[in-house]
Amino acid sequence: MRRLIARLLPASDQRAARQTLWIGAITVAQLLASIVQVALSARILGPEGLGILAVIIALTSLLYRFVSLPGNEVITTFVTRGVAEGRMKEATGTLRFTFIVSQGLSLVSYGLLAAAVLAVSGLFGGAEEYKSTLLVYGIGGVAAATVRESMALLRLADRLWLGFAVSVVSAATRVAFLLAAWSTGSGLTGVVLAYVAGDVITGVGMFIAGASSERKAGLPGFLRSLPAKIPGRDVIAFQVGSFWRSSVEAVILHIDVILIANIVSLSQVGLYRAAHQIIDATKHPFRSISTGVQAEYSRQWYGGNPAAVRRISRRFALLSLAVAVAGYGLLAIIHEPIIRIMLGPSFEEAALPLLFLLPGALAFAVIAPLYVLPAATGRAIPHLAASLAALAVMVAAMLVLAPRYGAEGAAWANSIGWIAFAAAFVPFIVATLRRGRAAGRAEEQGGRSGG
């Protein structure tokens, strides 16, 4: 595979292509597991039970993502910069700081979750067994707190094959637990335990894989001591912007279920969640593309090669567009039989919500290789601004459409939100590419003058 990539692509693109392929392999493992997971969960729980599970996931994920830092972007951008510029002590300190903050915030999140469960009455209609299930599900968030950071470290080390191995083991574990839940009739508790088991394997496995790759990443001593000092102002400013952006993004990803759970029946929530899970599974390849190219954007940008950034962004944007048009076009044609095969006859009413989610999924796929450009070049605010715009549009659409059209209206509102996200990002992407072009021209002119 390495030889084939070396023959087909220039040197500056080979690492990005290789990492994209490995992330693609991870995505395939996660995608297959997700498909099986959705199918088994739907058959175990039915529409109403899946609606309850959706509320548990939404509440927990919203809290964990709201009180978190996307440390993977700090590693991808600033640790990469430190390595590229030979400032190894700074890079290692930033890496340690990021891991410690991410794990610490996950513990804070679990504490807040426990306090909310104890203090708030009326959750799930006052059914106490669902509260305890919510606390069990929250354990997975603590275990998987540093998965994104570990993956970023594996990208720096160019050892994503370890991430693939962990993903396969985690997927197999989750599916095995779900099959056991189905055969024993353990219902919601069994499904939640399957999710938690997968999160524990993923979190622990990815951390071990990342920590064992520190030397390959050029960062020996990562685990030997605590950071001597907080990273510089630029890193802190980026993390503050990333914190608020991640918080807004958490609301975007999970507020839909929480909103419609207070508007429509749990069965309608289950139908919407089932369709959403299928669409979310189809987004994995596009998330893989964005994850794979982001590190290379930073590497080339801080290496003084903005032309490579433009070339990589153009190639992967065209690839994403072609795959999205073909894949979602096919899904639009065969979505009804897919619903019946995957979820069973009790979820046939999820066919229209799935169809209505497709425009938003297409918008996300088109923007996926490009929306990481500002963050890769050290700017967190563009993502925050686009996320705020998308959130405002989606919530407004949800409040108008969901009460009248149920799961179908919620699906349209979700699509409208993602279309707004893509549209809001276009000016920032254009500005980043122009900034790179201007920097390249200035460097070229400086070289001529010096000559």
Side-chain angles (χ1 to χ4, degrees):
M1 183 61 70
R2 284 177 176 266
R3 292 179 181 177
L4 179 60
I5 292 172
R7 289 178 182 177
L8 295 177
L9 295 174
S12 60
D13 293 359
Q14 289 174 21
R15 186 184 179 99
R18 187 167 60 248
Q19 293 200 357
T20 300
L21 287 174
W22 272 118
I23 292 174
I26 294 172
T27 298
V28 169
Q30 293 174 339
L31 178 60
L32 293 176
S34 180
I35 291 171
V36 176
Q37 176 182 307
V38 172
L40 290 174
S41 298
R43 284 169 168 78
I44 293 169
L45 300 175
E48 184 171 341
L50 196 64
I52 295 170
L53 178 64
V55 175
I56 289 174
I57 293 174
L59 287 171
T60 308
S61 300
L62 175 59
L63 183 57
Y64 274 91
R65 290 288 298 271
F66 196 85
V67 188
S68 70
L69 282 173
N72 57 314
E73 292 188 347
V74 174
I75 294 170
T76 298
T77 302
F78 292 100
V79 175
T80 297
R81 184 188 68 179
V83 172
E85 297 176 354
R87 292 182 286 169
M88 310 310 297
K89 186 176 180 180
E90 175 188 309
T92 304
T94 300
L95 184 65
R96 292 195 203 108
F97 180 81
T98 302
F99 269 84
I100 291 170
V101 169
S102 294
Q103 191 64 63
L105 287 177
S106 74
L107 296 173
V108 172
S109 297
Y110 191 79
L112 293 174
L113 179 67
V117 168
L118 294 173
V120 179
S121 60
L123 287 175
F124 311 105
E128 294 300 320
E129 65 270 23
Y130 297 148
K131 289 186 173 184
S132 61
T133 304
L134 183 62
L135 289 176
V136 172
Y137 183 80
I139 295 172
V142 176
T146 60
V147 168
R148 292 179 294 176
E149 290 77 10
S150 298
M151 282 290 290
L153 183 54
L154 288 175
R155 289 200 302 273
L156 287 181
D158 203 11
R159 300 186 80 196
L160 284 170
W161 60 272
L162 286 174
F164 172 72
V166 173
S167 296
V168 169
V169 174
S170 173
T173 301
R174 187 170 293 189
V175 171
F177 270 72
L178 284 171
L179 288 172
W182 195 11
S183 63
T184 59
S186 54
L188 181 63
T189 300
V191 172
V192 167
L193 287 176
Y195 281 57
V196 172
D199 287 341
V200 170
I201 294 293
T202 302
V204 175
M206 288 294 186
F207 179 78
I208 294 173
S212 67
S213 303
E214 58 177 13
R215 290 188 179 276
K216 290 285 186 178
L219 298 164
F222 161 53
L223 293 177
R224 292 178 189 171
S225 63
L226 294 176
K229 62 178 181 179
I230 295 174
R233 290 183 179 180
D234 54 348
V235 179
I236 296 299
F238 183 87
Q239 286 190 316
V240 169
S242 295
F243 173 82
W244 289 113
R245 192 212 75 203
S246 179
S247 299
V248 173
E249 192 175 71
V251 178
I252 292 174
L253 291 174
H254 303 293
I255 195 64
D256 53 351
V257 169
I258 296 173
L259 279 176
I260 65 173
N262 290 281
I263 296 173
V264 301
S265 67
L266 285 173
S267 294
Q268 284 288 300
V269 176
L271 293 172
Y272 171 74
R273 178 64 181 173
H276 194 283
Q277 281 186 292
I278 294 175
I279 291 297
D280 197 54
T282 68
K283 291 180 180 179
H284 279 310
F286 307 107
R287 292 193 182 101
S288 298
I289 291 174
S290 64
T291 301
V293 298
Q294 184 174 355
E296 196 60 25
Y297 285 155
S298 292
R299 189 183 304 278
Q300 297 297 337
W301 184 272
Y302 291 114
N305 193 3
V309 173
R310 294 195 299 273
R311 183 173 63 251
I312 293 169
S313 65
R314 182 171 60 250
R315 287 179 176 175
F316 283 98
L318 290 174
L319 171 64
S320 183
L321 175 63
V323 172
V325 170
Y328 288 130
L330 179 62
L331 185 57
I333 296 172
I334 63 172
H335 67 284
E336 290 184 350
I338 284 180
I339 289 286
R340 288 194 295 270
I341 293 169
M342 284 189 61
L343 306 178
S346 61
F347 282 87
E348 287 185 352
E349 292 182 44
L352 277 179
L354 188 149
L355 186 63
F356 296 157
L357 286 168
L358 288 177
L362 180 61
F364 172 80
V366 171
I367 206 74
L370 302 173
Y371 79 89
V372 294
L373 265 171
T377 58
R379 302 173 68 212
I381 297 302
H383 202 143
L384 173 61
S387 297
L388 283 170
L391 175 62
V393 171
M394 188 187 72
V395 169
M398 192 75 66
L399 292 175
V400 171
L401 297 174
R404 186 170 181 179
Y405 300 107
E408 297 169 14
W412 267 121
N414 184 279
S415 276
I416 291 170
W418 282 112
I419 292 169
F421 177 81
F425 239 111
V426 170
F428 298 117
I429 293 167
V430 172
T432 301
L433 292 174
R434 286 180 176 174
R435 188 159 55 104
R437 185 179 290 111
R441 288 174 180 170
E443 184 176 342
E444 184 180 347
Q445 290 174 0
R448 291 174 181 173
S449 300

